[in-house]
Amino acid sequence: MTTASTPADVVRPPEGTAGRAADGAAQGTVGAYLRHAAGKLGGAAVSLLAVLVTSFFLFRIIPGDPVKAMTHGVPTSAEQLATLRRQFGLDLPLWQQFTDYCAKALTGDLGMSYQFRAPVGELIAQKLPATLLLTGVAVLLYSALGLWLGTRSAWRHGSLGDKLNTGVALTLWSVPSFWLGLLLIIVFSVGMGPVPGLFPTGGMESGSGATGFAYAFDVAHHMVLPVITLVAVGYAQTLLVMRSSLLDEMGSDYLTTARAKGLRDDAVRRRHAVPNALLPTVTMVFINLGHVAAGSILVETVFSWPGLGGLFYQALSVPDLPLVQGLFVVFAGAMIVMNLLADLLYPLLDPRVGR
């Protein structure tokens, strides 16, 4: 005959076992994240080394002699040309040029510009604020716009608004940015028909010597058309990625369970569907942030914006090898760093990543 067990008879785990189990689980999670982070950091380091190698050899295949391009139209003897080549290190064997370049680049020395006769790092530092201002504002605007419109389009997929948003996004995504910029200049800067010229055709400021609020307004006035160009072309990709990701989540069982609990449709979308659909869009947003340093070469050239894009175009026209290489390293390095940050953020958004 068995007797009913009393609370005293129930076998309990040793005191502190639950706490130790929780600590062990936490340590395992931290360890998994650290291994994930170490792998991503190693991959980023290898990518940066590959960028250094690529930046050196890629631009060596550009046709043209930098020394002859710099002395074009100026009577120069063969001895003077040889002196310039020796001064810029172009007379050295290719392998020696490569090892010198890598050794200096790893210490932050990107060389001396041929045409500006100034350190490449200083030239980049001078132009970087203008690029960060223009493309930074544009990236923030089109990332927010793409996320918002992509979420609304997916949640109401098949509606008139979804079809309109998707159609406009696909159209603008296929439009070359330089063509759209030129069109905006013709319509809103030069003026066409009843539309007067409302915005400047290029540059970052009018040169009036204004200060304070007047200067900020002047710069903002010059930014309107290039920012509109970048936003119009850039938001479409974010919209389409967010829409596709959210559509994949909408048939999931956890959304049905959330609705069965009585949550309103807006709460289901905001608290459950959107967070789980964010991973691909997070990658897109961080890639866009990487473009902040690179700017947009074509848009900056069209609008004569004094940033890194215009500087890159000037460097390619010579070719100014140290400047082109330095800008390439900065552009690619920014993309690698932003991708690394996205990879490190993934496990925080979705604990399944990196396990």
Side-chain angles (χ1 to χ4, degrees):
M1 178 177 179
T2 60
T3 58
S5 61
T6 62
D9 298 325
V10 176
V11 178
R12 294 184 177 88
E15 186 176 352
T17 301
R20 288 194 296 271
D23 291 342
Q27 291 175 0
T29 302
V30 172
Y33 181 79
L34 291 176
R35 288 191 296 271
H36 172 77
K40 296 302 179 181
L41 286 168
V46 172
S47 298
L48 286 173
L49 289 176
V51 165
L52 285 178
V53 176
T54 304
S55 66
F56 179 84
F57 290 104
L58 177 64
F59 299 108
R60 290 300 190 283
I61 64 176
I62 297 177
D65 185 342
V67 173
K68 289 184 177 179
M70 285 186 292
T71 57
H72 180 70
V74 179
T76 310
S77 65
E79 291 77 10
Q80 290 173 321
L81 291 175
T83 301
L84 287 174
R85 289 194 177 91
R86 185 168 56 254
Q87 178 183 346
F88 295 133
L90 295 175
D91 60 327
L92 299 174
L94 189 62
W95 66 266
Q96 190 172 348
Q97 293 183 43
F98 174 67
T99 55
D100 291 345
Y101 164 70
C102 288
K104 292 179 180 179
L106 292 175
T107 61
D109 183 2
L110 297 176
M112 186 74 65
S113 169
Y114 295 164
Q115 56 180 325
F116 296 105
R117 304 297 178 90
V120 171
E122 291 183 6
L123 293 172
I124 293 175
Q126 291 172 5
K127 300 292 185 179
L128 183 60
T131 290
L132 293 180
L133 176 63
L134 177 65
T135 56
V137 170
V139 166
L140 290 177
L141 288 176
Y142 71 65
S143 295
L145 183 63
L147 285 170
W148 180 62
L149 290 178
T151 300
R152 293 180 64 86
S153 293
W155 206 249
R156 297 180 174 88
H157 64 97
S159 65
L160 178 62
D162 174 37
K163 294 177 181 178
L164 182 63
N165 282 331
T166 306
V168 171
L170 287 171
T171 301
L172 290 175
W173 197 9
S174 63
V175 171
S177 58
F178 71 90
W179 181 85
L180 181 59
L182 290 172
L183 186 63
L184 291 177
I185 289 175
I186 292 172
V187 176
F188 296 106
S189 292
V190 179
M192 189 175 66
V195 181
L198 300 174
F199 301 99
T201 56
M204 185 176 173
E205 55 182 284
S206 57
S208 60
T211 58
F213 179 77
Y215 175 75
F217 180 80
D218 184 31
V219 173
H221 191 216
H222 284 75
M223 285 177 60
V224 171
L225 292 185
V227 166
I228 288 176
T229 303
L230 291 171
V231 170
V233 176
Y235 93 97
Q237 190 174 17
T238 307
L239 182 153
L240 295 172
V241 170
M242 185 63 194
R243 180 181 180 274
S244 176
S245 300
L246 191 53
L247 284 175
D248 289 340
E249 296 291 331
M250 287 179 61
S252 301
D253 293 337
Y254 68 89
L255 296 184
T256 304
T257 303
R259 291 189 180 96
K261 291 180 178 179
L263 291 179
R264 293 188 304 173
D265 201 52
D266 286 344
V268 173
R269 181 186 71 240
R270 185 177 62 256
R271 293 167 53 185
H272 297 280
V274 171
N276 284 285
L278 274 179
L279 285 186
T281 313
V282 165
T283 302
M284 186 63 56
V285 169
F286 274 90
I287 289 175
N288 292 338
L289 290 175
H291 287 155
V292 170
S296 177
I297 297 173
L298 295 178
V299 172
E300 287 191 9
T301 302
V302 166
F303 288 97
S304 301
W305 190 262
L308 295 181
L311 186 64
F312 189 74
Y313 177 80
Q314 287 180 285
L316 276 176
S317 63
V318 174
D320 189 340
L321 294 178
L323 186 53
V324 170
Q325 291 168 178
L327 287 168
F328 182 82
V329 169
V330 170
F331 295 165
M335 296 295 298
I336 291 171
V337 170
M338 287 301 131
N339 275 305
L340 173 63
L341 291 178
D343 287 334
L344 297 179
L345 183 61
Y346 279 169
L348 304 179
L349 296 175
D350 187 349
R352 295 171 298 179
V353 178
R355 293 296 180 86

